[in-house]
C-alpha cells in the first residue's frame, strides 16, 4: 500500500470507488472525475476555494493493483469552524473496505506527510457515534481533548490531537 496524490490515469479506479459509495447511498464524490480532479488541484493551490474552506492536499491510499482503498485531505492550517469540527485531516474509506485496517493505514501515512510538511501536531475529529473512526484516530496516537456539538448537524463531535 502507498499514499499518492490523485492522478488523471486513475479514472477507472476512481469510478469503482464512487460506485462503492453509490451502492450504499452514501453521497460522496458526486461530481465527474474531471470536476473532482479540478477541485483537488484548486484546493492544493488554494485557488477559488469556497468561503470558509482552506487549502488542502488530497491523497489516495492505493494497493499494488492501483485500487483506491481510501481518501484523505490534509489541511496545513485551520479556521475557526475547522478547529471545532473537521480538523487538519479528513479521511474516508469506501464501504466494502471498512474494518480491514485501511483507515488506520490511511491516517498513519497522512500523518507522515503532515510531519514532512513541518507540522508538529494535528487535530482530527469524528462524529461521536462513528466508533470505527474514533478507534482509527486513537490507534494513531489521538488524545481526546473534548466533545463539542456540530453547528451544522447537531451531532456530538470528538476532537483529538495527535503529536507528530
Amino acid at each position: 500500500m502507498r499514499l499518492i496524490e490523485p492522478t488523471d490515469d486513475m479514472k477507472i479506479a476512481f469510478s469503482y470507488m464512487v460506485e462503492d459509495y453509490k451502492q450504499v447511498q452514501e453521497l460522496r464524490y458526486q461530481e465527474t472525475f474531471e470536476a473532482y480532479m479540478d477541485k483537488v488541484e484548486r484546493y492544493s493551490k488554494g485557488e477559488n476555494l469556497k468561503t470558509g474552506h482552506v487549502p488542502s492536499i488530497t491523497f489516495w491510499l492505493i494497493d499494488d493493483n492501483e485500487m483506491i482503498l481510501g481518501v484523505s485531505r490534509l489541511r496545513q492550517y485551520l479556521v475557526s469552524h475547522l478547529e471545532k469540527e473537521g480538523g487538519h485531516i479528513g479521511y474516508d474509506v469506501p464501504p466494502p473496505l471498512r474494518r480491514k485496517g485501511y483507515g488506520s493505514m490511511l491516517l498513519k501515512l497522512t500523518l507522515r506527510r503532515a510531519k514532512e510538511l513541518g507540522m508538529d501536531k494535528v487535530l482530527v475529529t469524528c462524529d461521536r457515534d462513528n466508533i470505527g473512526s474514533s478507534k482509527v484516530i486513537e490507534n494513531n496516537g489521538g488524545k481526546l481533548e473534548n466533545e463539542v456539538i456540530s453547528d451544522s448537524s447537531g451531532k456530538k463531535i470528538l476532537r483529538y490531537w495527535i503529536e507528530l
Side-chain angles (χ1 to χ4, degrees):
M1 286 183 282
R2 59 194 166 102
L3 201 64
I4 65 166
E5 291 187 44
T7 61
D8 287 330
D9 62 339
M10 299 275 299
K11 183 175 183 175
I12 293 172
F14 179 81
S15 69
Y16 287 137
M17 180 185 71
V18 169
E19 188 58 35
D20 285 341
Y21 284 104
K22 284 182 183 177
Q23 293 286 328
V24 295
Q25 287 81 43
E26 280 192 33
L27 302 176
R28 294 181 189 255
Y29 310 106
Q30 297 297 300
E31 65 267 81
T32 66
F33 179 73
E34 292 75 19
Y36 174 81
M37 291 299 290
D38 177 65
K39 179 178 159 185
V40 164
E41 185 175 339
R42 284 187 298 103
Y43 272 70
S44 71
K45 295 177 180 177
E47 298 175 351
N48 301 316
L49 305 180
K50 291 182 182 179
T51 303
H53 288 222
V54 300
S56 63
I57 305 168
T58 298
F59 298 105
W60 288 346
L61 178 67
I62 63 169
D63 65 10
D64 292 340
N65 297 317
E66 297 195 342
M67 178 178 166
I68 301 170
L69 307 173
V71 180
S72 65
R73 291 152 303 280
L74 173 61
R75 303 171 194 96
Q76 292 185 54
Y77 66 90
L78 303 177
V79 292
S80 61
H81 73 91
L82 290 172
E83 289 172 353
K84 184 173 185 178
E85 178 181 6
H88 290 97
I89 298 173
Y91 60 91
D92 56 271
V93 173
L97 302 176
R98 293 176 184 158
R99 295 184 180 93
K100 297 181 180 186
Y102 298 131
S104 290
M105 180 59 69
L106 176 61
L107 183 55
K108 177 182 178 179
L109 295 175
T110 305
L111 290 167
R112 283 186 189 165
R113 294 291 180 102
K115 186 171 184 170
E116 290 169 6
L117 291 171
M119 299 173 76
D120 55 5
K121 71 178 189 173
V122 297
L123 175 67
V124 185
T125 70
C126 68
D127 291 351
R128 183 173 190 223
D129 62 2
N130 190 338
I131 295 166
S133 191
S134 62
K135 287 182 180 180
V136 164
I137 297 166
E138 291 169 2
N139 288 340
N140 277 281
K143 304 292 182 214
L144 182 64
E145 179 179 62
N146 62 2
E147 183 178 295
V148 297
I149 302 296
S150 168
D151 292 333
S152 59
S153 70
K155 286 184 159 192
K156 293 179 180 179
I157 305 295
L158 301 176
R159 298 176 67 252
Y160 292 89
W161 285 97
I162 302 174
E163 298 284 335
L164 304 176

